[in-house]
Amino acid sequence: YTTLFIVLMALLSSCKDFLVWPQSRNVDENSAVVRAVDLENHAIGIYSVLDNNEVAGRCIPVMGDILADMNTNAFGNSGYFNDFEKYEYQATNSYLADMWQYTYRMIDYSARTINYGKKMENDGKFSASDKEVIHLSMAQAYGLKALGHFWLVNFFGLPYTYQPNSLGIVLVYEEPVTAASTFVRSSVQETYNLVLSDIQKAKAEFDLARGHAFASNTDKRFMMNRGAVSALEARVKLYMADWAGAAAAAQEALDLSGAQLETVDSLYSAMWLDQDNATKEDIFTVFYNSTSNPGVSSMGNYYHGSYGGKNTKKLYDLMATTDIRRIGFVRVSTYPAYRGPKYPYTANRAFDNVPIFRASEMHLIIAEAKAQQNLLSDAVDALLPVAQRNTVILRLDLAAKNQADLLSFIADERCRELYNEGHRWHDLRRRGELLNRVPAIGGTQAQTQKDITNYDVKTCIMPIPQNEVNASHLQQNEGWNATKP
């Protein structure tokens, strides 16, 4: 860097006239967002980062599963997530660096949207309808900023239920980060506090928008809508073991979003085939568009194409033959691994949506929260619509279970319902459960894998990317390498 600086200074001094050109195409930052529509467009820009394959488009959901026991990359290209399945990743891993960088970029875009919006809020030049657009844009930004912080702290920090006072991540408030900013890691607890604060601010901005609709040609399920904010709150409080708060927020998410479970067997299977549209179960889903290079970096290519991601026999065996979710599972040749129906893939497919929040997750959150409070009848009521995707399950079957058995069933139900959506590793960590995995071995493409037995996964933590440590002098997670199985 020192050499580069000297060279640039020499160029500036010797070629000053050459380096100075008209700035006719550049717009000063302070004058770039001055109208309500400008802020709306700025908020839309946040989604262009969210749906990137380094964030929700692939890395975050895949990482949340490949580190656990229901997924395998045992016979795929060794360059794609194998290091995480084998727990052989290093601080220099490019996927970690990309996930960190692009999620913070999403957070930064959100903070800038909020910052611009706060300057506009009390400006008398805006009409009532313009102010509603401003509030709607800020509401989405607060929600997306909260989502980004929540994702990062659960990869690069220890679980809230384990060590809430341990190191979390760098927090971005309402002022965007600048070159002069000082970067210090806050605690996991402080990160959760900010996430919950931003969730409440998102709700307040939605209230001020007074029901202002998203653009008429936009399906709100592709946006951070009001129901999605409550869904995020439900997940956050679940991870905090705030059972009453999680159940209330999950019910609110269902009520506000109107999302419903698909009860017709054939339609449940069909909804995974239509990835160009949101489904009736979606509360918030990412509209992944890889038109420039169709399908190559999509979840579909990862789980059905050349990237090698598959589901383990352990997941397949959790699904009874009478379970409609087992329809579409296909064993991969002679491998003890399976392709499921989620994220269908063809080589020329440009769209591959990734659900962030679905109605079934909210039902399962309510069920777990009620069971943890020993309100078993209420837990069964919430659980039954999801559990009955196994067509022989009756209410009596669930009602006969004691608290421990019901919680165990709910944990398995989360595997059956939410596989490939990035939940499993986080579920094991927050519940303090041990990881046991026998990898899929076999075939000429098989990578060398290792069994993982009784691994206390809550102690596992991802290293802060080395390039960030080098650039910002952030404190690295001590012992991150020593906690690997």
Side-chain angles (χ1 to χ4, degrees):
Y1 290 122
T2 302
T3 304
L4 178 61
F5 177 77
I6 294 171
V7 171
L8 287 174
M9 290 304 295
L11 287 172
L12 285 171
S13 60
S14 61
C15 306
K16 184 177 180 180
D17 293 338
F18 175 74
L19 292 175
V20 176
W21 60 85
Q23 302 296 308
S24 59
R25 294 189 179 185
N26 292 344
V27 179
D28 179 77
E29 183 177 14
N30 294 322
S31 60
V33 182
V34 295
R35 301 170 300 165
V37 68
D38 296 334
L39 189 69
E40 184 177 42
N41 290 334
H42 202 278
I44 292 171
I46 306 170
Y47 295 96
S48 68
V49 186
L50 170 69
D51 70 9
N52 198 287
N53 60 54
E54 282 83 1
V55 192
R58 187 188 62 197
C59 275
I60 283 177
V62 168
M63 205 82 80
D65 281 317
I66 198 64
L67 288 158
D69 53 351
M70 300 296 165
N71 295 68
T72 179
N73 196 54
F75 42 87
N77 186 317
S78 61
Y80 300 106
F81 298 102
N82 271 3
D83 287 346
F84 294 95
E85 182 178 5
K86 295 185 288 185
Y87 281 82
E88 294 178 358
Y89 51 82
Q90 298 299 320
T92 53
N93 184 280
S94 62
Y95 282 159
L96 285 179
D98 288 345
M99 190 167 66
W100 175 276
Q101 174 189 345
Y102 280 83
T103 307
Y104 266 119
R105 185 176 298 179
M106 182 184 89
I107 291 170
D108 178 67
Y109 284 11
S110 300
R112 291 177 187 276
T113 301
I114 293 165
N115 193 255
Y116 290 133
K118 289 180 77 68
K119 293 175 182 177
M120 294 179 174
E121 273 185 313
N122 300 317
D123 194 323
K125 73 178 182 181
F126 293 104
S127 66
S129 60
D130 276 349
K131 285 192 174 182
E132 289 179 355
V133 172
I134 292 168
H135 291 306
L136 183 65
S137 301
M138 292 177 66
Q140 295 171 79
Y142 274 120
L144 292 168
K145 186 160 81 75
L147 180 61
H149 280 104
F150 180 68
W151 275 334
L152 287 176
V153 78
N154 278 287
F155 281 108
F156 298 99
L158 293 170
Y160 182 96
T161 50
Y162 175 46
Q163 290 189 12
N165 295 320
S166 59
L167 280 176
I169 57 173
V170 179
L171 301 185
V172 179
Y173 293 89
E174 294 174 358
E175 290 290 333
V177 172
T178 68
S181 298
T182 300
F183 304 109
V184 178
R185 294 179 66 185
S186 300
S187 70
V188 170
Q189 171 77 68
E190 289 168 332
T191 306
Y192 270 74
N193 289 346
L194 176 60
V195 169
L196 291 174
S197 174
D198 280 347
I199 286 171
Q200 293 307 312
K201 290 176 180 178
K203 291 181 179 181
E205 292 296 337
F206 271 116
D207 289 343
L208 290 171
R210 292 191 295 273
H212 185 89
F214 292 99
S216 59
N217 63 340
T218 301
D219 187 331
K220 71 175 183 179
R221 290 169 294 185
F222 289 119
M223 316 294 282
M224 175 58 85
N225 57 74
R226 178 62 181 82
V229 172
S230 291
L232 173 59
E233 181 180 17
R235 191 184 294 175
V236 171
K237 290 185 174 180
L238 180 77
Y239 281 35
M240 297 173 70
D242 176 357
W243 308 123
Q251 186 60 58
E252 185 176 68
L254 290 170
D255 295 341
L256 292 174
S257 67
Q260 298 177 335
L261 294 181
E262 185 56 76
T263 57
V264 180
D265 296 2
S266 60
L267 295 181
Y268 173 82
S269 299
M271 79 179 190
W272 297 109
L273 299 176
D274 183 9
Q275 288 287 284
D276 295 348
N277 301 292
T279 75
K280 66 183 290 186
E281 296 204 3
D282 286 321
I283 297 174
F284 177 32
T285 189
V286 165
F287 185 71
Y288 180 83
N289 184 344
S290 59
T291 305
S292 61
N293 199 4
V296 170
S297 295
S298 68
M299 291 282 279
N301 192 32
Y302 179 75
Y303 281 113
H304 289 263
S306 61
Y307 281 31
K310 302 295 178 288
N311 295 112
T312 61
K313 190 175 185 296
K314 185 174 183 177
L315 173 64
Y316 183 75
D317 288 344
L318 277 178
M319 297 185 185
T321 57
T322 51
D323 196 318
I324 66 171
R325 291 167 297 196
R326 190 168 174 172
I327 299 172
F329 268 80
V330 178
R331 184 167 179 169
V332 183
S333 186
T334 59
Y335 300 118
Y338 297 80
R339 289 191 180 98
K342 292 183 181 180
Y343 314 115
Y345 170 77
T346 59
N348 60 354
R349 188 181 189 87
F351 307 108
D352 193 11
N353 300 334
V354 183
I356 306 299
F357 302 110
R358 291 198 294 124
S360 57
E361 182 195 355
M362 298 303 107
H363 279 270
L364 292 170
I365 287 175
I366 296 170
E368 183 176 345
K370 295 295 186 182
Q372 288 284 2
Q373 298 173 88
N374 208 29
L375 302 171
L376 302 189
S377 180
D378 291 344
V380 170
D381 288 342
L383 173 61
L384 188 63
V386 183
Q388 284 188 323
R389 285 177 166 162
N390 179 353
T391 55
V392 301
I393 290 286
L394 301 175
R395 192 183 196 284
L396 289 174
D397 300 324
L398 302 177
K401 296 180 183 296
N402 60 34
Q403 184 187 36
D405 288 344
L406 187 59
L407 284 168
S408 178
F409 183 92
I410 292 168
D412 287 345
E413 193 64 19
R414 286 181 66 88
C415 296
R416 287 185 283 264
E417 180 63 28
L418 303 176
Y419 71 91
N420 294 1
E421 295 179 41
H423 295 270
R424 179 60 174 169
W425 189 65
H426 302 297
D427 281 349
L428 291 172
R429 295 175 85 227
R430 68 179 176 83
R431 293 195 299 252
E433 295 182 8
L434 301 178
L435 172 61
N436 286 280
R437 182 179 70 201
V438 178
I441 299 295
T444 57
Q445 288 185 298
Q447 305 295 317
T448 301
Q449 302 293 294
K450 61 183 178 183
D451 293 354
I452 296 178
T453 304
N454 294 330
Y455 172 45
D456 190 359
V457 72
K458 72 176 183 290
T459 66
C460 179
I461 190 169
M462 296 292 109
I464 303 298
Q466 192 61 47
N467 57 1
E468 184 66 78
V469 173
N470 294 342
S472 306
H473 307 292
L474 286 186
Q475 184 176 344
Q476 182 57 275
N477 285 322
E478 295 181 4
W480 66 267
N481 214 3
T483 61
K484 292 179 182 179

